Amino acid sequence: MRDAVSKSVQDGFLRRLSKESTRHIDILDLLLNSNKEMVDMKKLDLEDMRQKLCAVNWKTELVAVHISCGKQMVRSGRIVGGEDAHDGEFPSLVSIRLSGQHFCGGTILASRWVLTAGHCVSKYSASRFVVRVGEYRLSQDEDHPTQDIPVKQKIIHPRYSEPKRYFNDIALLELTEDIKFNDYAWPACLPLPEESSSYKDQQVTVTGWGWLNEPDKGGKRADTLQKVHVPVIDYKECQNMYHTAGKMVIFQSGQMCAGYKEGKKDSCQGDSGSPLYMNKNNIFTVVGVVSAGIGCGREYLPGLYTEVVFYRSWILEHVDNI
């Protein structure tokens, strides 16, 4: 193994690691010409990676190994107007559970960190939450291992609900132990700073186990993970839609809208905290967090999401291994 990795590959890795683009570095790319059995991604964990780096005499400061975020390795809030997702289609999505029941969604950012909505965790102590990784059907055991990991601490944005509820609606959960990454558990990417305000009209995907319709309209909670594709709506256009519907909602920076003027496709109760994904070249970036809305799938009332890129610096203050 030591002889298989040339000095030029090592030097190239060091140069790449110092750049922002390292979020897309694949450990397989770094070990070109090495024994592929030694670097089977399905069998590696972070400690394995660190040991292999040491085995080829790479510098000791490389203990914080970067892996490629946003991968989808299995192919083949509800979501109103959506469809069943495939098992493993969104490996960064987790079920945040309270008293043994699904309560909110969340997104894996790193081996011990999950992103969610502030309103999901504001009323309860961290010790009451467990994060289930690899969930697909809420009422059945999965065909693959899942991981239930208690929450060590919650970090809610310091200006959550200021000046109104659902403003700065974002939180981080630190887990008590590492998530074991595999085909059904993998971190999503954070958006890059330059991606701010560049989402207008782009298609995004919202996922979750929320209600299939509003409860008072006979809706029921989804048992199988749901997904729906919706466009991002311009900030001012969304504000005007809400006013057309007679809702004097004032948006602030850090919020975004996604959905259709005619409604019908939307997140709903139970999807809160779940990710709004953007898929580019099969790399999944969490651009939003399901936050709020009026009803589910109503005309002129698209879903409201926390815009993740706006809080990128705050996230990185707490999570240093993304």
Side-chain angles (χ1 to χ4, degrees):
M1 176 101 172
R2 183 172 302 180
D3 295 336
V5 183
S6 69
K7 185 177 186 301
S8 62
V9 173
Q10 297 176 39
D11 292 343
F13 170 67
L14 294 174
R15 288 194 298 272
R16 293 169 70 191
L17 188 63
S18 65
K19 299 179 180 179
E20 180 75 37
S21 62
T22 55
R23 68 177 188 158
H24 295 313
I25 289 179
D26 192 321
I27 195 73
L28 294 176
D29 294 336
L30 308 178
L31 300 178
L32 301 172
N33 305 322
S34 65
N35 185 335
K36 293 298 176 64
E37 292 182 359
M38 295 289 288
V39 290
D40 182 350
M41 285 299 293
K42 294 183 179 181
K43 297 178 181 177
L44 282 180
D45 59 25
L46 291 179
E47 186 58 36
D48 288 333
M49 293 181 189
R50 294 188 184 100
Q51 291 173 3
K52 287 177 174 58
L53 291 179
C54 292
V56 295
N57 284 334
W58 286 356
K59 294 185 178 180
T60 55
E61 56 264 35
L62 294 183
V63 292
V65 177
H66 288 253
I67 63 173
S68 299
C69 61
K71 284 191 173 184
Q72 179 195 73
M73 286 157 293
V74 176
R75 294 185 178 92
S76 14
R78 172 168 159 162
I79 302 283
V80 176
E83 59 184 300
D84 288 357
H86 298 295
D87 191 7
E89 186 174 0
F90 303 102
S92 62
L93 175 66
V94 301
S95 168
I96 299 173
R97 307 175 79 81
L98 181 69
S99 301
Q101 301 296 317
H102 172 75
F103 187 66
C104 277
T107 309
I108 300 171
L109 295 183
S111 58
R112 288 209 182 197
W113 290 95
V114 166
L115 178 71
T116 190
H119 77 267
C120 283
V121 297
S122 62
K123 295 181 180 179
Y124 303 96
S125 64
S127 61
R128 294 191 61 183
F129 293 104
V130 171
V131 168
R132 175 165 292 178
V133 181
E135 185 76 314
Y136 178 58
R137 294 184 180 90
L138 295 178
S139 66
Q140 301 178 31
D141 291 337
E142 308 302 345
D143 296 330
H144 53 82
T146 57
Q147 304 169 58
D148 283 1
I149 306 177
V151 173
K152 178 180 179 180
Q153 68 163 327
K154 62 179 184 179
I155 304 175
I156 300 174
H157 194 276
R159 296 197 63 193
Y160 166 67
S161 284
E162 294 181 9
K164 293 183 178 181
R165 191 182 182 197
Y166 297 118
F167 283 8
N168 303 302
D169 188 16
I170 193 167
L172 293 165
L173 301 180
E174 183 181 10
L175 308 183
T176 59
E177 60 186 69
D178 286 354
I179 296 169
K180 294 179 175 62
F181 292 144
N182 55 48
D183 287 358
Y184 301 91
W186 201 262
C189 296
L190 278 181
L192 298 175
E194 61 267 25
E195 293 174 7
S196 179
S197 304
S198 64
Y199 305 132
K200 181 180 182 295
D201 297 329
Q202 295 196 48
Q203 285 289 315
V204 289
T205 303
V206 60
T207 58
W209 293 274
W211 293 81
L212 305 179
N213 203 340
E214 295 176 40
D216 58 3
K217 294 182 179 180
K220 62 179 182 178
R221 181 188 289 279
D223 182 63
T224 300
L225 177 63
Q226 299 292 300
K227 65 178 179 180
V228 69
H229 307 295
V230 291
V232 176
I233 301 174
D234 177 73
Y235 189 93
K236 291 182 179 180
E237 182 182 355
C238 187
Q239 183 82 79
N240 291 337
M241 284 186 190
Y242 270 72
H243 288 176
T244 298
K247 308 298 182 182
M248 296 298 106
V249 176
I250 305 299
F251 301 149
Q252 70 159 17
S253 297
Q255 291 180 304
M256 62 188 293
C257 289
Y260 294 92
K261 179 175 67 175
E262 61 272 22
K264 298 182 181 180
K265 294 185 177 184
D266 196 7
S267 53
C268 198
Q269 290 101 314
D271 292 318
S272 291
S274 294
L276 184 70
Y277 291 113
M278 184 170 290
N279 178 6
K280 288 187 177 180
N281 301 316
N282 291 321
I283 298 296
F284 285 76
T285 298
V286 54
V287 297
V289 174
V290 177
S291 176
I294 297 175
C296 305
R298 295 187 188 181
E299 187 178 23
Y300 293 111
L301 295 172
L304 298 182
Y305 301 82
T306 301
E307 187 174 11
V308 174
V309 70
F310 187 81
Y311 298 95
R312 176 185 165 87
S313 296
W314 174 78
I315 292 170
L316 293 178
E317 286 177 9
H318 301 284
V319 186
D320 60 3
N321 58 337
I322 294 179

